[in-house]
Amino acid sequence: MSGAPGSRRPAFPGLPGELVLEEAAGARQRCGGGDGSVPGTLLCTNRRVAFLPAQAPGSRAFLHGEYDVALPCIRKLVAASSFTKPKVLTAASTLKFIPEELAVFCRDFRLLRFHFHENGLAPQAFRVANAIAQAREAAAWLGDAGEGHDGWSCPAEGPLEDEEEEEEEEEEEDSAATLLFESLHDWEKELKRLGAAGWRVSAVNERFDMAPSLPRYLWVPSGLLDHDLKRTFAHFEERRVPRLCWHHPGGGDLLRAAGFHAASEPGSEDVRCLEALLLGGRGPCVLADTAELPTLADIQLAHLKLRALCLPGAAAEEKWLSALEGTRWLDHVRACLRKAVEVASLLAGRRCSVLLQEPSDRDLNCLVASLVQLLGDPHARTLPGFQSLVQREWVAAGHPFPHRLGLLRRDSPREEAPVFLLFLDCTWQLVRQFPAAFGFTEAYLLALHDSSFAPYFSTFLFSCQRQRGHGSPHRPRSQTYTPVSGWREAAAGGRRAGRGGSAACTLPAVWAWGLRYSRRHRARFRNPAGAAGTGGPPDTANPQTPGRPPDAGPWPAAANVFVLTKGTLSPQPFPWRSGRPPPRLSRWAPSLESLGERGAGGGSPGGNRPPVPPPGLLLPCAAGPSVRLWRRCYLRGLPEAQHGRFAPSPAGLAEELTLLQDRLSAWQAQGPRTEAAGSPLAPSR
């Protein structure tokens, strides 16, 4: 069914294979807590619920980010009438009244409310409400286990007007490309940018036969041949061996790997290869596990409590803050920030390798590795750099997005844990504390948060590169998107197609923001006063360079392997070698607390000024009041906050004004040394 015959509505830019099941022309979308509303047409398709405003401006975008919600993103559907109590609609329920209002509760914390006037809309309202309930139940996440995407594809763009072509070409020239890390060229290009001497790109996993969940290409020591590298896979869970994530210009290397295989019994030759992989003459190796971080179950429970708390009327106003702390969501944000600061400080202060270890290497390792690079690499804080970071440390590294976001209907609930959303919250905390250090804005993070629930993009549809390519051989396709304009390279058949195309997955990456947001909205993704550089962190390899961080002193013992636990470095024997571990030593690695204490005594003559972090290194404050609730994300479902994703509420503007006034007062009180304002002890509200 395609809606009421003869109904007039704006042209609906549907997806390939998308069918309009029902529509209600003349419906109105509520805009806030009052009686304000926007007239338009409410549509239910086999893919989403969409609202087309009657006065919607013309756009080439085939997705309306502000006015639509994908069916898997709908958490609850409620119909209301003046004559009966609200009813939660499911596929099995029977609607026995004509709804006057329909409330759509979304997984991304949005609350969409649609009102139906009595002027002939009763049949349409009844049909569209039932259609949404049925379609939501029938919808399935389409990227599971390499089963394909049900024919979804990005529609081919028609000829562009000359003016539009010129505008988009200007955008492409002004912005660097986002690396997707599916081609050898991307890995080599990023390794060259990092200046990681002693490392190379290995194609040992190009056919995914060594480790199915790892990417095609890995950064491994130059002195380790692929023949020897193959000996190491069997000694790690899921065969996820240690590989380089990031190189600090001071000489430190950040690695990540899964846990050691419990049944592993390597021979002497295997041990030699493992030592070359973990040590390789690069100095000591520090093992940093995720035992101090929340578990997946902790993250899921906290997110469920937070989502329940952010519903209208969930808690009395006087008890709301205590209820918020009771969710423990902010505690988890603080724990992740503290861990990232410990690792980033260790890499900045010592010449060593830090190996992030997690049993699966697919969840919290993604989060910590990304946060460490945000703290230490200015390039990661630019828009294309951040998108490349997500592609490398999450998408290519094999984070199981469909499972963790809970959009696979047959999955066990225990597999759901929004680790990526926790990372976005941590990133927002950094953007809030260091607004001038980032080239993107809160509006951008909010758009990425919401896009993770939309099954329109290949980025979040699959759990690893192998699923994305359906196990097919490497395809020589373009691996770069411009942050705002989609494909950067042209192909024989179209201006924005990839080189050679993609036979396995024709969905665009989420970074093709022009498919979902207008130019006006995309302009708000960029921070004009933020980071604009695309290079790496400052050159601290030269001891004479002023920005070089002071070395934290000699290592606590003549050992090659250490364990970092709660800021303490403890030597231990090399894994798989027999022998009794040496006694635990009480020695601090750089951390939030130790850096604060060190700065109190030597940061300034008076001892009351926080330490100045090395150039390029951010040291956020993770103390209680400094970690705030992401209000524009989590409180969108409250009626007083519903004024659109990009229009801040008066309360938000007042809060921002107070924050700016406090920061201005702090900077004026500190005099010319304004660089200390972003330190861990800087005032923050």
Side-chain angles (χ1 to χ4, degrees):
M1 187 178 301
S2 61
S7 59
R8 295 182 180 180
R9 57 170 165 81
F12 178 60
L15 296 161
E18 185 172 20
L19 302 176
V20 177
L21 305 177
E22 287 291 349
E23 65 179 76
R28 305 183 72 90
Q29 182 179 9
R30 297 286 192 184
C31 294
D35 296 328
S37 61
V38 175
T41 302
L42 177 64
L43 298 101
C44 172
T45 78
N46 58 333
R47 302 295 193 221
R48 53 182 162 157
V49 174
F51 181 77
L52 300 182
Q55 304 297 327
S59 174
R60 290 187 299 105
F62 70 96
L63 297 172
H64 291 266
E66 188 85 19
Y67 304 108
D68 77 286
V69 54
L71 292 175
C73 186
I74 298 177
R75 187 175 58 86
K76 185 168 65 173
L77 186 68
V78 179
S81 171
S82 304
F83 306 101
T84 183
K85 63 180 181 179
K87 179 177 179 59
V88 177
L89 299 183
T90 65
S93 63
T94 302
L95 185 59
K96 298 182 179 180
F97 60 88
I98 302 298
E100 297 177 5
E101 187 169 353
L102 196 63
V104 181
F105 294 84
C106 307
R107 291 176 178 266
D108 58 12
F109 290 86
R110 284 186 295 164
L111 171 58
L112 306 180
R113 298 186 302 155
F114 304 100
H115 179 72
F116 306 100
H117 287 287
E118 299 179 357
N119 301 333
L121 277 183
Q124 297 182 52
F126 184 82
R127 290 197 302 264
V128 77
N130 280 308
I132 294 174
Q134 297 288 339
R136 169 177 171 259
E137 194 71 22
W141 189 252
L142 304 175
D144 182 28
E147 294 178 358
H149 46 77
D150 198 28
W152 288 44
S153 62
C154 174
E157 296 185 15
L160 298 176
E161 297 294 336
D162 293 340
E163 183 178 351
E164 291 177 344
E165 283 190 5
E166 292 177 0
E167 289 177 350
E168 296 201 354
E169 287 173 359
E170 289 178 0
E171 288 178 350
E172 292 182 1
E173 292 174 358
D174 294 340
S175 60
T178 297
L179 302 179
L180 298 188
F181 292 97
E182 293 186 1
S183 71
L184 179 64
H185 174 266
D186 288 352
W187 291 91
E188 291 177 339
K189 181 178 179 180
E190 181 67 7
L191 188 64
K192 181 180 179 180
R193 185 193 71 82
L194 291 174
W199 295 88
R200 66 179 178 90
V201 181
S202 171
V204 68
N205 196 46
E206 191 168 20
R207 296 183 178 274
F208 305 107
D209 52 347
M210 298 307 300
S213 63
L214 283 180
R216 287 186 175 91
Y217 306 104
L218 310 173
W219 288 333
V220 300
S222 300
L224 187 64
L225 301 178
D226 285 351
H227 173 75
D228 294 331
L229 179 62
K230 291 180 180 180
R231 290 178 171 271
T232 65
F233 282 88
H235 305 300
F236 295 88
E237 296 291 342
E238 297 189 35
R239 302 176 64 85
R240 296 178 65 91
V241 295
R243 68 269 183 208
L244 180 69
C245 293
W246 178 59
H247 173 77
H248 189 279
D253 294 316
L254 180 66
L255 290 75
R256 59 181 290 183
F260 300 125
H261 201 290
S264 172
E265 295 182 358
S268 59
E269 189 64 20
D270 289 358
V271 171
R272 180 188 66 81
C273 297
L274 288 165
E275 285 182 331
L277 182 61
L278 290 176
L279 301 175
R282 299 183 302 274
C285 178
V286 178
L287 306 181
D289 59 31
T290 58
E292 304 163 28
L293 299 180
T295 65
L296 297 182
D298 294 336
I299 296 173
Q300 171 65 1
L301 179 60
H303 194 259
L304 289 176
K305 290 182 177 179
L306 177 66
R307 195 162 60 189
L309 179 64
C310 294
L311 293 175
E317 184 176 355
E318 62 273 10
K319 298 181 179 179
W320 200 89
L321 290 178
S322 60
L324 174 62
E325 287 300 320
T327 66
R328 300 211 62 195
W329 179 259
L330 296 183
D331 289 337
H332 299 337
V333 172
R334 296 183 188 105
C336 294
L337 290 176
R338 289 192 182 102
K339 188 70 173 182
V341 168
E342 280 190 349
V343 174
S345 302
L346 186 59
L347 288 170
R350 300 177 183 272
R351 187 180 180 89
C352 64
S353 298
V354 177
L355 174 64
L356 300 177
Q357 272 200 298
E358 180 191 14
S360 68
D361 182 40
R362 301 181 70 176
D363 294 294
L364 294 173
N365 267 6
C366 301
L367 188 151
V368 177
S370 300
L371 286 180
V372 169
Q373 294 176 65
L374 284 177
L375 296 180
D377 190 348
H379 174 67
R381 302 194 287 267
T382 65
L383 184 60
F386 181 79
Q387 295 179 165
S388 298
L389 175 68
V390 172
Q391 279 290 147
R392 188 177 70 252
E393 299 300 341
W394 294 85
V395 181
H399 179 66
F401 284 104
H403 298 266
R404 295 297 178 256
L405 292 174
L407 299 176
L408 289 173
R409 193 174 298 278
R410 58 182 173 275
D411 261 9
S412 166
R414 285 182 238 177
E415 293 192 28
E416 183 177 352
V419 184
F420 183 67
L421 305 186
L422 179 60
F423 163 68
L424 293 182
D425 196 320
C426 293
T427 304
W428 176 81
Q429 304 289 341
L430 297 178
V431 171
R432 190 186 65 83
Q433 292 193 30
F434 305 94
F438 288 85
F440 51 86
T441 63
E442 179 185 29
Y444 168 79
L445 292 175
L446 202 54
L448 184 56
H449 176 281
D450 296 349
S451 298
S452 63
F453 292 96
Y456 312 137
F457 310 104
S458 62
T459 307
F460 305 116
L461 272 178
F462 304 97
S463 296
C464 60
Q465 280 189 354
R466 181 176 179 271
Q467 288 185 5
R468 187 169 289 102
H470 302 287
S472 61
H474 173 58
R475 293 162 278 113
R477 48 174 288 193
S478 170
Q479 305 306 327
T480 59
Y481 283 92
T482 56
V484 293
S485 303
W487 292 108
R488 183 176 181 84
E489 297 290 342
R495 194 170 83 89
R496 301 196 185 280
R499 295 192 208 109
S502 172
C505 177
T506 55
L507 286 172
V510 71
W511 319 123
W513 296 111
L515 299 176
R516 192 174 187 191
Y517 295 100
S518 67
R519 284 177 55 86
R520 178 175 60 87
H521 287 165
R522 299 198 306 269
R524 299 181 185 181
F525 290 173
R526 294 183 176 275
N527 179 12
T534 58
D539 183 12
T540 59
N542 186 349
Q544 303 302 321
T545 303
R548 177 176 174 81
D551 196 279
W555 288 92
N560 289 327
V561 181
F562 297 84
V563 176
L564 175 64
T565 305
K566 296 182 179 179
T568 303
L569 282 175
S570 303
Q572 75 163 29
F574 187 79
W576 302 286
R577 288 194 183 278
S578 60
R580 188 173 182 179
R584 186 179 184 87
L585 300 181
S586 178
R587 181 180 178 89
W588 284 100
S591 64
L592 277 173
E593 293 79 3
S594 62
L595 286 170
E597 293 170 0
R598 187 182 305 171
S604 65
N608 57 357
R609 186 168 293 174
V612 180
L617 179 64
L618 302 182
L619 295 178
C621 184
S626 296
V627 174
R628 303 288 293 273
L629 179 70
W630 190 1
R631 299 175 62 89
R632 288 188 63 189
C633 179
Y634 303 135
L635 300 184
R636 288 181 287 174
L638 301 182
E640 60 271 18
Q642 293 188 44
H643 299 284
R645 178 182 291 106
F646 298 96
S649 63
L653 290 175
E655 180 185 11
E656 184 176 0
L657 179 60
T658 303
L659 175 64
L660 292 175
Q661 290 173 338
D662 289 348
R663 285 179 175 167
L664 180 60
S665 301
W667 289 338
Q668 291 173 341
Q670 291 179 357
R673 295 191 57 181
T674 58
E675 66 271 14
S679 64
L681 303 181
S684 181
R685 287 179 61 88

